[in-house]
Amino acid sequence: MTNLLPALAGANTVFGAGVLELGMTFSMEQLVLDNDMISMTKKVMQGIPISEETLSVEAIQQVGIGKNFLAHKTTRKNIDLPSSPKLIDRMMYGDWQMAGAKDIATVAHEKVVDVMKNHEVAPIDADLLKDMQAIVDKADKAFRASM
């Protein structure tokens, strides 16, 4: 089996974010799911800090062999080091059920509705707009001259 991570190390575009059915369908819910996965991949590619604290050496010594290290506060503190998803829920199953047991598709749909309702696009700086218009005007002039 080949290791694909080195091939992705320089990727800045993942084809198909939000795309279903071989590009025949676009889903905003799929887009927010893909965005979450792309963000996690980018975080992994930054690397995971290695230190006595992140390795939890002291906590492992405190807990001891055969005991519940997963419930230790250090484990809970460091759980988001490798990735910090916005949609994926890391609650324990019972806690997830008590919180409404929303599946990932429902969570993604709620995010889409929230973004569509509340997102505000920051205006483009006037100087930048002027520069962009100059590029368009230059291209239009060159196009007209070539006719």
Side-chain angles (χ1 to χ4, degrees):
M1 184 169 150
T2 58
N3 183 353
L4 295 178
L5 284 179
L8 293 174
N12 60 11
T13 302
V14 176
F15 171 78
V19 174
L20 302 169
E21 299 183 283
L22 300 171
M24 300 300 290
T25 304
F26 179 82
S27 165
M28 292 174 68
E29 288 79 6
Q30 186 65 50
L31 179 63
V32 297
L33 287 166
D34 292 344
N35 182 63
D36 217 26
M37 291 188 201
I38 292 165
S39 294
M40 289 188 293
T41 301
K42 287 173 77 173
K43 188 159 185 178
V44 166
M45 298 314 296
Q46 292 171 356
I48 299 168
I50 304 296
S51 66
E52 282 201 26
E53 183 182 349
T54 61
L55 290 175
S56 304
V57 173
E58 189 176 317
I60 292 169
Q61 291 169 342
Q62 287 174 359
V63 171
I65 297 170
K67 302 220 172 82
N68 187 357
F69 178 73
L70 293 176
H72 194 276
K73 66 181 178 182
T74 304
T75 304
R76 293 190 311 271
K77 177 182 163 198
N78 292 335
I79 195 157
D80 286 331
L81 284 177
S83 67
S84 51
K86 306 276 187 275
L87 301 176
I88 295 171
D89 195 325
R90 289 187 171 150
M91 283 193 277
M92 297 301 289
Y93 185 74
D95 295 335
W96 173 76
Q97 283 185 310
M98 289 177 59
K102 290 182 188 175
D103 60 54
I104 192 87
T106 300
V107 175
H109 179 71
E110 289 173 351
K111 178 67 174 175
V112 167
V113 170
D114 177 61
V115 169
M116 296 297 289
K117 188 179 199 179
N118 299 311
H119 180 72
E120 291 185 28
V121 177
I124 298 174
D125 180 61
D127 289 339
L128 181 57
L129 276 175
K130 190 172 114 182
D131 292 345
M132 291 167 65
Q133 188 61 54
I135 293 168
V136 170
D137 292 344
K138 181 179 177 184
D140 282 348
K141 185 177 179 182
F143 177 74
R144 286 189 191 100
S146 70
M147 294 181 84

